[in-house]
Amino acid sequence: MYRVPVVLVPLFLVAILQLTASHEVTYKSLTFGKDASSYVLMSPDMSPLQEELTICAWIKRMSNHQKNAQYWLSYVASANYEEIIISDTALYYLFRDGTSYTHPSLTTGWHHICCTWSYSSRTKRVYYDGVQIGSKCTPSGRKLNIPGSLMLGQLHQGYGGGTIQSCCYFGGEMFQTNFFSTELSSSQIKEMYSQGRCSNYTQNFSDVTFLSWEEILQKDRHGSVTDKDLEECSTDHTHPTEEEETTEGPVNSTSWRFLRGEHFYNKEISTDMISKMTGRLDLLIEFYNHTVDDALIKHLEKHHTDKAPGNRTGEVEDRESEKEEMTDSLELFLTDNWEFLTDRMFYMKIVTEDLISGMTERLDLLAEFSGHLCDDSIINHLEKHHA
């Protein structure tokens, strides 16, 4: 009788293949609805984090219903309803106690938040865009309580997922949320931020990864939680070589995708709109031959924003409420930001004259539709006839 030959695969090869598959980077983000019913709920065994932990994520603030209390993570233990909570402004509570920190400027776009702690150091630290902005000692002998329920997108205070605080929903976008069973150093966190959200730097910590972003994407979702591909992080996206810049320069500026950003979409096309964008491009060309990465975008937001909060003349000092101040500041800030650079058309591209001139030509064409609403019909027309 003929027997089918058995192919023996070396165990070490199987292990390598499994390891490679399990740590493949996924370039999908999660967007949470602006309500109290949109979240991801998990009940992992947090034992590996009882004595040290690091939680890092790329966060995009998209709501303004609270100044600080828009929480993207909450972990409730059976013995404590505020074991870990983190907001989109890097407010970090551990063991029901906040962390003293320097409040970061509220800007649009992506920001990197990391929170660390260890039983041995008795210190919790919070990092924002690679820089430590706060720290505080924790009680002697205190470890992370287990069991508990872990929720992304909401602040809940009931073990198992109950008692969601409707005032404090996240309502933003999240990417590369990872939990590590060690206290990462400040240099490691700085490098994680510097590498950018499209890098695979977190794979360097695969041996201490407790819960990965790829695992989180597989968890059940509640309410309006949707995933989307980050085009700027697509696998075919690479740093252009000199040859590519020569042959593909004009192609970088053929996209009208930027019109779907908050600067333009469903807004009236005006001379003021075009001139502001042209002014940004004039500043951008000063960084000729630099890569449009997170570090450059952060620099531009910090040092080249005409109407940044706190720099306005004649500002009325007495306001009716803190909420009114926050809303006003953000609205002014949003009139002049650099979020358009996160579009695939610019992100991780090298600043060249071709890149800038191509965009300038697009703005000149757009100006011909002054007075029209920049809606889907206008964008579709431009994509069809001026690609």
Side-chain angles (χ1 to χ4, degrees):
M1 183 177 70
Y2 177 77
R3 297 193 177 194
V4 178
V6 177
V7 178
L8 298 178
V9 180
L11 292 177
F12 78 90
L13 182 57
V14 173
I16 291 174
L17 292 174
Q18 290 176 339
L19 182 63
T20 303
S22 63
H23 291 283
E24 183 179 353
V25 177
T26 302
Y27 297 117
K28 286 183 179 292
S29 66
L30 289 181
T31 301
F32 293 78
K34 298 179 181 180
D35 54 59
S37 59
S38 299
Y39 57 88
V40 176
L41 178 63
M42 299 165 277
S43 298
D45 178 8
M46 301 281 273
S47 298
L49 308 185
Q50 277 196 284
E51 295 192 8
E52 55 183 325
L53 60 83
T54 297
I55 304 170
C56 292
W58 286 92
I59 298 296
K60 180 187 284 188
R61 180 184 174 100
M62 299 172 65
S63 182
N64 184 37
H65 59 283
Q66 293 282 347
K67 181 176 181 178
N68 292 322
Q70 296 179 181
Y71 295 99
W72 55 270
L73 181 148
S74 57
Y75 172 67
V76 174
S78 58
N80 181 20
Y81 64 85
E82 288 183 353
E83 195 73 355
I84 308 174
I85 58 175
I86 312 173
S87 80
D88 59 7
T89 58
L91 183 60
Y92 173 33
Y93 275 82
L94 181 68
F95 309 148
R96 205 177 176 181
D97 184 32
T99 304
S100 302
Y101 78 123
T102 302
H103 195 289
S105 299
L106 292 179
T107 63
T108 57
W110 288 100
H111 293 280
H112 192 242
I113 297 176
C114 279
C115 299
T116 70
W117 164 81
S118 74
Y119 175 77
S120 59
S121 68
R122 287 187 52 209
T123 304
K124 53 184 175 179
R125 297 178 175 88
V126 58
Y127 300 81
Y128 190 82
D129 287 347
V131 178
Q132 181 177 318
I133 60 172
S135 65
K136 192 173 183 180
C137 290
T138 57
S140 177
R142 182 66 155 88
K143 296 182 180 182
L144 187 71
N145 282 326
I146 57 172
S149 52
L150 178 64
M151 183 177 288
L152 301 180
Q154 301 287 344
L155 171 63
H156 76 298
Q157 295 182 328
Y159 173 57
T163 320
I164 292 177
Q165 302 300 305
S166 60
C167 63
C168 303
Y169 61 83
F170 171 44
E173 192 172 355
M174 177 188 301
F175 179 58
Q176 279 297 334
T177 301
N178 291 286
F179 294 70
F180 307 99
S181 58
T182 189
E183 181 182 17
L184 295 182
S185 67
S186 59
S187 60
Q188 289 171 324
I189 291 173
K190 181 179 180 180
E191 184 64 18
M192 188 183 298
Y193 166 71
S194 298
Q195 290 281 334
R197 64 185 178 278
C198 297
S199 77
N200 59 359
Y201 181 74
T202 55
Q203 292 184 343
N204 294 324
F205 310 107
S206 58
D207 57 332
V208 290
T209 299
F210 166 72
L211 181 62
S212 70
W213 180 239
E214 287 70 32
E215 292 175 286
I216 290 172
L217 289 173
Q218 302 304 315
K219 302 297 183 181
D220 291 337
R221 306 167 192 174
H222 301 261
S224 178
V225 181
T226 57
D227 63 63
K228 72 173 184 179
D229 294 321
L230 291 184
E231 293 185 348
E232 65 268 29
C233 296
S234 64
T235 54
D236 62 346
H237 184 82
T238 56
H239 289 275
T241 62
E242 291 183 3
E243 180 180 357
E244 287 172 335
E245 286 179 37
T246 303
T247 58
E248 293 186 3
V251 178
N252 288 336
S253 52
T254 59
S255 169
W256 294 94
R257 193 168 37 242
F258 71 94
L259 293 181
R260 300 189 187 277
E262 63 180 77
H263 282 296
F264 295 95
Y265 194 59
N266 282 333
K267 290 184 172 59
E268 182 179 336
I269 300 170
S270 65
T271 303
D272 184 56
M273 172 191 287
I274 302 297
S275 64
K276 282 183 177 180
M277 195 67 175
T278 302
R280 296 186 189 99
L281 295 177
D282 291 340
L283 277 171
L284 185 61
I285 195 61
E286 296 180 10
F287 296 87
Y288 181 81
N289 216 29
H290 283 71
T291 300
V292 181
D293 54 12
D294 293 301
L296 178 58
I297 296 172
K298 181 182 178 182
H299 171 85
L300 290 168
E301 287 181 335
K302 182 177 181 181
H303 299 287
H304 298 283
T305 301
D306 293 340
K307 295 183 178 181
N311 294 332
R312 286 165 284 163
T313 58
E315 180 178 18
V316 179
E317 294 183 357
D318 297 325
R319 298 179 181 272
E320 294 181 2
S321 66
E322 186 181 49
K323 181 177 180 181
E324 178 183 346
E325 178 182 5
M326 186 63 194
T327 302
D328 185 51
S329 296
L330 275 179
E331 285 177 351
L332 282 168
F333 192 88
L334 290 173
T335 61
D336 195 19
N337 68 63
W338 296 87
E339 188 177 8
F340 74 95
L341 293 180
T342 64
D343 186 272
R344 187 178 179 183
M345 178 178 177
F346 286 96
Y347 191 64
M348 298 309 292
K349 296 287 198 305
I350 293 177
V351 180
T352 63
E353 292 183 1
D354 283 341
L355 184 68
I356 301 300
S357 62
M359 184 65 169
T360 302
E361 291 173 6
R362 290 298 183 272
L363 293 177
D364 291 340
L365 280 170
L366 185 64
E368 297 178 8
F369 296 86
S370 182
H372 289 76
L373 195 66
C374 187
D375 55 13
D376 291 321
S377 61
I378 289 290
I379 298 173
N380 291 338
H381 171 83
L382 291 168
E383 289 176 338
K384 182 177 180 180
H385 298 286
H386 300 282

